[in-house]
Amino acid sequence: MNPPLLSVRDLRRTYRSRAGLFGSGLVTRAVDGVSFEMTAGETLGLVGESGSGKSTTGRLVMGLEEPDGGNVVFAGTDLTAMTPAQRKPFRRRMQIVFQDPYAALNPRMRVGDFVAEPLLVHDVGGGAAERRDRVAELFRTVGLDPAFMQRFPHEFSGGQRQRVGIARAIALQPEFLVADEPITALDVSIQAQIVNLFQDLQERLGLALLFIAHDLSMVRYLCTRVAVMLRGRIVEAGPVEAVFADARHPYTRALLSAVPIPDPVRERGRKRLPFDAGGYTFPPGAALRDLGSGHLVLDGA
Amino acid sequence: MLEISDLSVGFSREGRFARVIPGLSYSLRRGETLGIVGESGSGKSVHALALLGLLPQPPGKVLGGQAIFRGEDLLTVPEARLRELRGGQIGVVFQDPMTALNPVLTVGRQIAEPLMRHKGMTRRQALDRATDLLALVGIRDAARRLSQFPHEFSGGMRQRVMIAIAISCEPALLIADEPTTALDVTVQGQILDLMAELRERLGMTMIWITHDMGVVAGIADTIQVMYAGRTMERGPVEAVFASPRSAYTWGLLQSLPHGARPPGGRLHQIPGQPPDMFNLPPGDPFAPRNPFATERCHVEAPPLRQVEGSVPGHLAAAWYDLPALLERAR
Ligand SMILES: Nc1ncnc2c1ncn2[C@@H]1O[C@H](COP(=O)(O)OP(=O)(O)OP(=O)(O)O)[C@@H](O)[C@H]1O
Ligand SMILES: Nc1ncnc2c1ncn2[C@@H]1O[C@H](COP(=O)(O)OP(=O)(O)OP(=O)(O)O)[C@@H](O)[C@H]1O
Ligand SMILES: [Mg+2]
Ligand SMILES: [Mg+2]
């Protein structure tokens, strides 16, 4: 086993909203003790309930938000113990594709400049002409016409914007990438192109990919391991095939039973297993237990 | 319920002009669910914005056509009337919830506002109803969530707020542009059930724009496949999935992952680059990427017409006979 490139230990983040119309403010334990490890070249799929803390986990790992507890160790260095200035050299090695492509783009910047920005900031990619070629190449890589470099974000369709975000994130050839729902707005052929691209980057550069997604068929296809989140916690994790073939947690089972099948006849006959995510209570003192060969399930399931 | 004929939309930029939708026609029966899939950038959102009078003009421009909704042409009714229809008889879920929601207003206020405007509810009634609606789309602790702002919601929760707003006034027509991309499949399933229920109870008609072939397979009566602003294929979902007649539809279905990845495996992707709308090739716009293209495809655009030997309403724009070509290639 390779030493982990990324090691996340007991990460926690709670949000407190101001008191509103209906009395007391809302306390949301968005991430409630999340731990996982990733090795170079590995793809971990992070799936789970909408609102279960996947994006928050991604932002905490990237250091875009401070955790309330826990740590993030990247390449042997504890990032959580560092000042933003000390973290700077790691920025280049860790990148993120945000879930909301429009919010992530700068509306007043031509998208070509937006993709070039990290090259400029980290002073790679040579002179202006070389940099332009590099950006054009990145555009082609994500299936965009380089002529689009001159455009502004509002001139794009949803999927075109999403690809601009991907082009920027891979510009510096990071070692680690958080991709938060990176392909949802893309047609399935371009999804295939991006997924193939991720695989190329893994094989060529050893990219480690944290793939946050709802498309479980794609997770099964792309990822080596998967972690399932529910209400801020990981309830099951393990090698993709082990989890898909032998899901143990009732939430994982419900999730897998709900995957739509791209075949009208079979899809209309499919039955979803019920699971009451709101009513579910975590067993007291529950912890992830290893069923063997790295297949973990929250105790009591 | 809705009859669109020859809708044509263009964009200009830097003195050049592109017809991103050169002339789109289709109609919907009451209670029908249309699933629109297709190339990223093929005009799915733009066509919906044009119907709703929300196209940014300029740089966009509706060049012509009609869209008759219950006897009124949406493309020519006065703006005031459109505003009345939008959020009332026509519910809308926009592709981008973060830009469609107002960042400085609470979620509760944004759900309550259309109820007060279109249904004449008091503030109190509207907020109560907003709580029910949030719960209906599966958001826990709904009452307390009402006083939060959009940025305090997760991506999928924002999408559900949009859905709650769109259905709040029990619309006759719902236009939903990738409404469930950020939802996990269990919540997505609940939302689809909710839609089926509204369709049953209110006879709601739906246009559901998505890239998820599984979702289309589950909810749509009719599927419409778009490429470069055109309908490449359209028909009852069973017929189109069982025997696609456009090479583009076929290419999409081929791109889907099945099971685990074999070592070193890659997903099928359609060769070539998406078209440049400012510089479209003559003929069938998909021809340059189509391994089955004939001479004729490169020079003459095929009309969308009934597929011989398939069920009525299965239409395709193709000069070639795809099933025969696939058979031969095997
Ligand atoms: N404001 C604009 N200015 C110029 N071009 C635009 C503008 N908005 C959209 N376009 C172009 O119009 C075409 C259709 O865009 P549209 O948003 O309808 O695509 P879409 O089918 O919804 O794609 P996606 O699946 O990626 O959301 C695209 O080529 C896009 O680049
Ligand atoms: N800035 C914030 N302020 C308050 N609450 C927040 C904030 N960001 C996230 N939350 C809350 O934290 C929880 C987790 O949100 P997060 O965005 O991480 O979920 P997610 O798993 O990515 O969901 P989705 O699949 O819907 O994108 C949610 O309950 C959300 O409302
Ligand atoms: Mg998220
Ligand atoms: Mg769109």
Side-chain angles (χ1 to χ4, degrees):
Chain A
M1 187 83 178
N2 300 330
L5 175 68
L6 177 79
S7 169
V8 172
R9 281 284 147 252
D10 202 27
L11 217 47
R12 289 170 195 276
R13 178 76 169 102
T14 300
Y15 295 107
R16 280 166 230 282
S17 297
R18 62 160 180 72
L21 223 41
F22 296 91
S24 60
L26 197 60
V27 175
T28 310
R29 288 153 84 171
V31 175
D32 195 11
V34 162
S35 305
F36 59 87
E37 288 187 346
M38 289 177 66
T39 53
E42 178 178 52
T43 307
L44 175 65
L46 193 56
V47 306
E49 221 204 352
S50 166
S52 61
K54 302 180 298 296
S55 297
T56 306
T57 300
R59 288 194 302 267
L60 291 171
V61 168
M62 293 298 297
L64 299 169
E65 241 177 85
E66 295 301 321
D68 299 325
N71 34 26
V72 175
V73 179
F74 181 79
T77 311
D78 188 349
L79 302 181
T80 27
M82 294 176 126
T83 65
Q86 289 172 317
R87 269 184 222 154
K88 179 149 190 246
F90 291 93
R91 293 260 160 75
R92 184 175 161 182
R93 300 165 67 183
M94 305 172 78
Q95 294 287 325
I96 182 166
V97 179
F98 289 99
Q99 180 170 10
D100 188 332
Y102 198 68
L105 300 180
N106 179 343
R108 277 172 294 277
M109 201 174 198
R110 290 185 196 274
V111 293
D113 296 335
F114 181 75
V115 172
E117 194 176 45
L119 297 171
L120 206 61
V121 170
H122 291 277
D123 198 20
V124 288
E130 255 173 272
R131 203 159 46 234
R132 204 170 325 108
D133 290 346
R134 173 88 184 108
V135 173
E137 182 55 37
L138 285 164
F139 269 60
R140 271 188 291 270
T141 309
V142 297
L144 288 175
D145 190 330
F148 287 4
M149 283 160 61
Q150 292 305 314
R151 294 204 193 176
F152 291 96
H154 70 268
E155 298 178 75
F156 283 95
S157 79
Q160 289 166 341
R161 275 177 211 152
Q162 202 167 38
R163 281 175 277 166
V164 171
I166 295 171
R168 175 175 160 120
I170 63 172
L172 292 169
Q173 307 200 328
E175 290 160 65
F176 172 74
L177 180 66
V178 176
D180 194 351
E181 308 271 10
I183 57 173
T184 46
L186 305 177
D187 66 65
V188 290
S189 174
I190 298 183
Q191 289 191 8
Q193 180 176 348
I194 298 296
V195 164
N196 290 343
L197 165 68
F198 285 152
Q199 283 173 12
D200 291 343
L201 293 173
Q202 291 189 301
E203 286 168 17
R204 246 176 345 105
L205 306 169
L207 173 76
L209 178 65
L210 182 62
F211 184 70
I212 302 177
H214 289 302
D215 182 343
L216 294 162
S217 318
M218 196 59 97
V219 166
R220 181 176 193 178
Y221 181 86
L222 174 67
C223 300
T224 36
R225 283 190 305 139
V226 61
V228 183
M229 281 186 78
L230 177 70
R231 291 184 7 222
R233 305 174 68 164
I234 292 178
V235 295
E236 186 157 1
V240 157
E241 280 314 307
V243 174
F244 274 71
D246 185 23
R248 294 300 180 89
H249 196 278
Y251 177 64
T252 314
R253 291 189 182 179
L255 200 61
L256 292 175
S257 75
V259 177
I261 308 167
D263 172 341
V265 180
R266 287 170 57 211
E267 172 62 10
R268 277 156 212 230
R270 187 174 53 79
K271 286 271 168 293
R272 293 201 311 272
L273 296 174
F275 179 79
D276 177 11
Y280 175 79
T281 43
F282 292 106
L288 287 171
R289 179 165 51 93
D290 196 339
L291 303 172
S293 59
H295 185 172
L296 311 172
V297 63
L298 200 73
D299 242 328
Chain B
M1 167 63 60
L2 178 69
E3 172 122 37
I4 300 174
S5 38
D6 220 17
L7 170 66
S8 159
V9 182
F11 276 105
S12 54
R13 70 182 310 277
E14 289 168 2
R16 298 213 299 151
F17 192 77
R19 267 177 189 263
V20 296
I21 300 175
L24 184 70
S25 304
Y26 67 83
S27 57
L28 287 179
R29 282 175 283 109
R30 179 167 184 272
E32 180 175 355
T33 299
L34 171 68
I36 301 186
V37 304
E39 190 222 352
S40 168
S42 61
K44 302 182 297 295
S45 299
V46 162
H47 111 280
L49 293 175
L51 294 182
L52 296 163
L54 295 173
L55 194 71
Q57 315 202 44
K61 191 165 169 40
V62 175
L63 304 165
Q66 278 193 328
I68 309 292
F69 171 71
R70 294 181 152 179
E72 288 175 276
D73 183 359
L74 297 177
L75 302 182
T76 54
V77 294
E79 175 54 32
R81 174 68 185 144
L82 261 183
R83 261 203 301 273
E84 206 174 291
L85 288 171
R86 277 197 309 257
Q89 286 182 54
I90 305 181
V92 192
V93 183
F94 294 99
Q95 183 169 3
D96 202 336
M98 213 35 189
T99 41
L101 292 172
N102 187 331
V104 298
L105 295 183
T106 63
V107 165
R109 177 129 176 234
Q110 297 189 60
I111 305 177
E113 200 267 340
L115 288 165
M116 288 155 64
R117 185 149 48 99
H118 296 284
K119 294 275 165 183
M121 289 189 186
T122 65
R123 191 180 152 77
R124 187 70 253 171
Q125 288 169 327
L127 284 171
D128 282 345
R129 180 75 188 127
T131 312
D132 298 343
L133 283 162
L134 266 196
L136 211 55
V137 295
I139 292 181
R140 291 193 288 271
D141 227 347
R144 289 201 292 169
R145 286 279 185 178
L146 288 184
S147 51
Q148 288 191 313
F149 292 90
H151 76 266
E152 298 179 282
F153 276 46
S154 77
M157 289 159 73
R158 277 177 219 142
Q159 265 185 340
R160 286 180 276 166
V161 171
M162 295 284 306
I163 293 170
I165 295 173
I167 62 171
S168 62
C169 298
E170 310 202 317
L173 172 67
L174 177 70
I175 302 182
D177 195 352
E178 306 201 24
T180 61
T181 49
L183 302 183
D184 66 84
V185 288
T186 50
V187 171
Q188 175 175 275
Q190 286 166 28
I191 296 287
L192 296 178
D193 289 349
L194 175 62
M195 296 300 146
E197 194 256 317
L198 290 173
R199 174 178 158 167
E200 201 69 7
R201 191 158 57 82
L202 310 168
M204 184 170 81
T205 309
M206 281 199 285
I207 300 176
W208 199 270
I209 301 175
T210 181
H211 292 299
D212 191 324
M213 294 293 188
V215 169
V216 174
I219 64 156
D221 303 298
T222 309
I223 178 173
Q224 177 163 313
V225 183
M226 293 184 62
Y227 187 84
R230 290 151 178 82
T231 301
M232 305 302 276
E233 181 157 11
R234 175 187 164 88
V237 274
E238 297 83 0
V240 174
F241 274 84
S243 178
R245 304 303 171 112
S246 159
Y248 180 62
T249 313
W250 181 79
L252 287 182
L253 293 172
Q254 289 297 306
S255 301
L256 297 173
H258 293 287
R261 178 167 63 101
R266 288 291 184 271
L267 287 170
H268 169 85
Q269 60 189 69
I270 296 172
Q273 293 280 335
D276 174 2
M277 294 306 290
F278 286 88
N279 202 356
L280 272 185
D284 177 345
F286 187 60
R289 306 176 66 185
N290 180 3
F292 303 109
T294 62
E295 284 301 274
R296 192 174 186 189
C297 299
H298 291 283
V299 289
E300 191 182 340
L304 184 66
R305 50 178 186 184
Q306 172 67 39
V307 171
E308 270 177 57
S310 186
V311 294
H314 186 177
L315 316 176
W319 290 126
Y320 46 86
D321 179 0
L322 189 64
L325 291 168
L326 288 173
E327 188 58 36
R328 204 174 311 153
R330 268 208 290 148

